[in-house]
């Protein structure tokens, strides 16, 4: 998975669940990603890739991280690809 898709999955994970809302709007993810120094991709493409790889899901038009995103947080399954 590309670095940009990994960044998006981590943003969604960090900003949902626990004391935060369970989901996050794409626009809000985009705003956060714009301030990330290593995000240099099209937001839609990165989100689609993260969904296709099973790290994110869409619920009611918003994004939520799957349990699989824990693999990314621990640093596994990361590639510059």
């Amino acid at each position: 998975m590309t670095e940009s898709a990994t960044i998006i999955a981590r943003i969604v994970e960090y900003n949902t669940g626990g004391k935060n809302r369970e989901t996050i709007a794409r626009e809000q993810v985009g705003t956060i990603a714009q301030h990330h120094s290593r995000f240099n991709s099209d937001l839609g493409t990165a989100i689609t890739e993260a969904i296709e790889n099973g790290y994110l899901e869409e619920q009611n038009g918003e994004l939520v991280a799957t349990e699989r995103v824990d693999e990314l947080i621990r640093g596994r399954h990361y590639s510059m690809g």
Side-chain angles (χ1 to χ4, degrees):
M1 194 160 79
T2 64
E3 181 178 23
S4 292
T6 300
I7 289 168
I8 294 301
R10 288 178 172 179
I11 287 171
V12 172
E13 170 64 17
Y14 184 78
N15 288 280
T16 58
K19 294 182 182 180
N20 298 317
R21 293 185 48 191
E22 292 299 317
T23 61
I24 186 170
R26 285 174 176 256
E27 297 80 21
Q28 196 171 5
V29 172
T31 299
I32 295 167
Q34 285 178 343
H35 298 289
H36 194 291
S37 63
R38 293 179 64 181
F39 183 79
N40 61 358
S41 182
D42 175 71
L43 178 65
T45 301
I47 289 172
T48 298
E49 183 180 350
I51 291 171
E52 288 175 351
N53 281 283
Y55 296 104
L56 298 179
E57 292 178 352
E58 263 192 290
Q59 292 181 0
N60 300 320
E62 293 194 346
L63 299 169
V64 63
T66 66
E67 289 182 15
R68 187 167 182 215
V69 80
D70 289 340
E71 297 171 1
L72 297 176
I73 293 170
R74 287 192 306 266
R76 299 183 330 184
H77 299 281
Y78 178 82
S79 79
M80 295 297 284

